Amino acid sequence: MDAKNREWIRLIERKTEHLRSAFIEKGMTGLCKTIQNELDSWKNETINIGVLGEAEAGKSTYINALRNLDADEPGGAPVGNTNMTSKIRSYDHPNNKNVHIWDFPGVGSTNNPKDGYLEKIEFAKFDFFIIMTSKRFSENDIWLAREIKKKRKKFYFVRTQFEDDVENEMEKKENKEIQKKDLESILKQKVYEDCKRNLEEFKCEDNIFVIDSYVKSSYDFEKLETHLIHDAFNISDGKHLAITSCLTVMTLPSLKEKKLVLEKRIPKIALRAAFALRVKDTDIMILKEEMEFYKQQFNLNERSLRRDAEVSNIMERLSKIEESVQHIEKESNEMEELNEIDKLMPFLPVINIRKTYKASKTLLQKALERIYEKAVDVNLTMMEGLTHD
């Protein structure tokens, strides 16, 4: 048995003993509360993401895009205000107030010299750093990357405003006959190669991202989010779930990532529902709340569907999409496992707890699969709308 598997076994043994102790010390109520506290622990995780770069690098626009907000919405980061660049600003994620994205002033100016800069931004508390530029990474950017690397913090190089580059090249006479998609590919490769040469000392080929925050469905915006999710997993389970619940780009890889994270919750939710059987109808309520949570996580709630339909230019199809989502809810309420649980009587022998646990796991797995498949369908519909824009 390898070291990784041994560590997993030790972890499971510790969690099992923890639940057993909760039951012995505080009874059924204490056990249910312990399970719920573990399920909700990710909500208390604090994540700090620092966005670094010089003025006009597109930091504010990226921060808004990461939070699925416009600059003129409540909580939106002001865009195009160079005076704001001289201040440190923190923006909470609307889906989780414990996830903070920070906009930092550029380093190396009279107001923000290198000496003392890291202390000024409270460098040590950050989980991730995103170093942005709309042109070429400067000496100051490279200095920051060196300092971050010394502290063994995760950081990413992000080249922004790429759509502007494409549009500018499209207007040139020599490019009139080139298809936009082909030109995008050519320019993107050029940017990658330039960044690799510029950042050669970091050996960071897999850590360079080309994005345009106004066109999140194109280029590397989703790829960057996926890296954030994967790297959060290496910090802790809580941070992994916290950041996965926040990121909103519903591309196929990110949908799959969310599904894998949500699947990890199923055994604990089923266990909590099984013990809640002793309070009539509480088990059903717990399961329905979890299914609603799945729907929210996949952006299948009313607000998210409307916003995505507007962006994708498919508002005329919104009512049909909403109707199909409601059909999923109806199917979930009619599932055989839910009916089976509903028939079980509270205060009966342990066999009913076992039956509820087994039926709850099956129910949640099926419901998650259906909601995931619907999210994939909606995603493809949105992408079709963008393609035919």
Side-chain angles (χ1 to χ4, degrees), residues 44-90:
N44 299 319
E45 289 280 359
T46 298
I47 295 177
N48 288 297
I49 302 172
V51 183
L52 305 159
E54 298 177 352
E56 301 182 3
K59 292 178 292 180
S60 297
T61 306
Y62 173 74
I63 289 170
N64 287 333
L66 194 63
R67 298 179 305 140
N68 212 25
L69 290 174
D70 294 327
D72 57 357
E73 289 187 275
V79 173
N81 188 342
T82 54
N83 290 328
M84 299 298 292
T85 310
S86 62
K87 302 176 183 178
I88 299 173
R89 296 291 301 270
S90 173

Side-chain angles (χ1 to χ4, degrees), residues 208-255:
I208 298 170
F209 304 89
V210 176
I211 73 166
D212 191 290
S213 297
Y214 289 111
V215 196
K216 294 198 292 184
S217 58
S218 301
Y219 317 127
D220 294 336
F221 197 101
E222 174 272 327
K223 184 180 174 184
L224 177 57
E225 285 204 344
T226 302
H227 271 67
L228 284 167
I229 291 171
H230 286 164
D231 291 336
F233 177 77
N234 293 327
I235 299 174
S236 73
D237 284 345
K239 286 185 186 285
H240 186 214
L241 182 52
I243 202 164
T244 303
S245 70
C246 286
L247 300 185
T248 55
V249 173
M250 293 291 105
T251 56
L252 296 181
S254 62
L255 290 174

Side-chain angles (χ1 to χ4, degrees), residues 125-183:
K125 74 180 181 183
F126 285 86
D127 301 289
F128 308 102
F129 289 95
I130 298 173
I131 303 173
M132 312 194 90
T133 184
S134 60
K135 298 173 184 176
R136 202 166 188 268
F137 291 102
S138 68
E139 281 301 316
N140 287 329
D141 295 327
I142 291 171
W143 174 81
L144 278 169
R146 288 187 190 126
E147 295 302 311
I148 296 169
K149 187 177 181 181
K150 284 178 190 175
K151 302 294 184 182
R152 297 185 178 180
K153 297 274 188 176
K154 290 300 299 181
F155 64 96
Y156 315 89
F157 292 108
V158 178
R159 171 60 160 75
T160 64
Q161 302 176 21
F162 184 65
E163 184 75 3
D164 289 346
D165 296 347
V166 175
E167 294 297 334
N168 289 337
E169 287 297 319
M170 285 289 291
E171 291 177 3
K172 292 182 179 179
K173 185 177 180 180
E174 60 268 27
N175 294 324
K176 290 293 184 182
E177 302 301 319
I178 301 177
Q179 294 292 319
K180 183 180 179 181
K181 190 173 182 180
D182 295 331
L183 186 58

Side-chain angles (χ1 to χ4, degrees), residues 301-323:
N301 56 311
E302 184 179 349
R303 178 184 178 276
S304 296
L305 284 173
R306 176 165 291 276
R307 185 186 184 94
D308 289 345
E310 286 176 354
V311 171
S312 304
N313 302 307
I314 56 166
M315 285 298 291
E316 73 280 359
R317 300 169 70 176
L318 178 60
S319 59
K320 284 192 175 181
I321 293 172
E322 289 177 327
E323 187 180 320

Side-chain angles (χ1 to χ4, degrees), residues 214-379:
Y214 289 111
V215 196
K216 294 198 292 184
S217 58
S218 301
Y219 317 127
D220 294 336
F221 197 101
E222 174 272 327
K223 184 180 174 184
L224 177 57
E225 285 204 344
T226 302
H227 271 67
L228 284 167
I229 291 171
H230 286 164
D231 291 336
F233 177 77
N234 293 327
I235 299 174
S236 73
D237 284 345
K239 286 185 186 285
H240 186 214
L241 182 52
I243 202 164
T244 303
S245 70
C246 286
L247 300 185
T248 55
V249 173
M250 293 291 105
T251 56
L252 296 181
S254 62
L255 290 174
K256 187 174 183 180
E257 188 72 31
K258 278 185 181 281
K259 179 171 177 277
L260 292 172
V261 169
L262 293 170
E263 280 176 340
K264 293 179 182 179
R265 291 171 55 90
I266 288 177
K268 285 183 180 177
I269 293 290
L271 189 60
R272 182 176 171 237
F275 285 116
L277 173 69
R278 293 173 178 264
V279 181
K280 184 167 175 57
D281 294 332
T282 304
D283 49 353
I284 301 296
M285 181 184 71
I286 288 168
L287 296 172
K288 287 187 175 182
E289 284 178 352
E290 182 68 4
M291 288 187 280
E292 183 64 25
F293 180 63
Y294 296 162
K295 196 175 75 168
Q296 291 172 355
Q297 283 298 298
F298 286 115
N299 279 10
L300 296 180
N301 56 311
E302 184 179 349
R303 178 184 178 276
S304 296
L305 284 173
R306 176 165 291 276
R307 185 186 184 94
D308 289 345
E310 286 176 354
V311 171
S312 304
N313 302 307
I314 56 166
M315 285 298 291
E316 73 280 359
R317 300 169 70 176
L318 178 60
S319 59
K320 284 192 175 181
I321 293 172
E322 289 177 327
E323 187 180 320
S324 67
V325 171
Q326 290 167 3
H327 184 65
I328 288 288
E329 291 179 25
K330 183 181 177 183
E331 285 181 335
S332 297
N333 289 329
E334 295 174 353
M335 285 175 71
E336 181 181 336
E337 290 79 13
L338 197 63
N339 293 329
E340 178 186 335
I341 294 168
D342 200 30
K343 291 174 185 175
L344 294 173
M345 294 295 292
F347 307 108
L348 287 182
V350 166
I351 188 169
N352 277 4
I353 293 177
R354 289 202 297 265
K355 284 182 178 179
T356 304
Y357 175 70
K358 184 177 179 182
S360 297
K361 278 185 70 176
T362 304
L363 169 79
L364 291 174
Q365 191 65 58
K366 285 182 178 179
L368 178 57
E369 191 65 39
R370 289 182 181 185
I371 292 169
Y372 166 73
E373 288 173 357
K374 176 51 61 180
V376 171
D377 288 345
V378 171
N379 172 267

Side-chain angles (χ1 to χ4, degrees), residues 3-15:
K4 189 172 183 180
N5 283 334
R6 284 197 298 272
E7 180 57 34
W8 272 110
I9 289 173
R10 284 195 291 269
L11 177 63
I12 291 167
E13 288 173 347
R14 286 197 298 270
K15 291 203 173 194

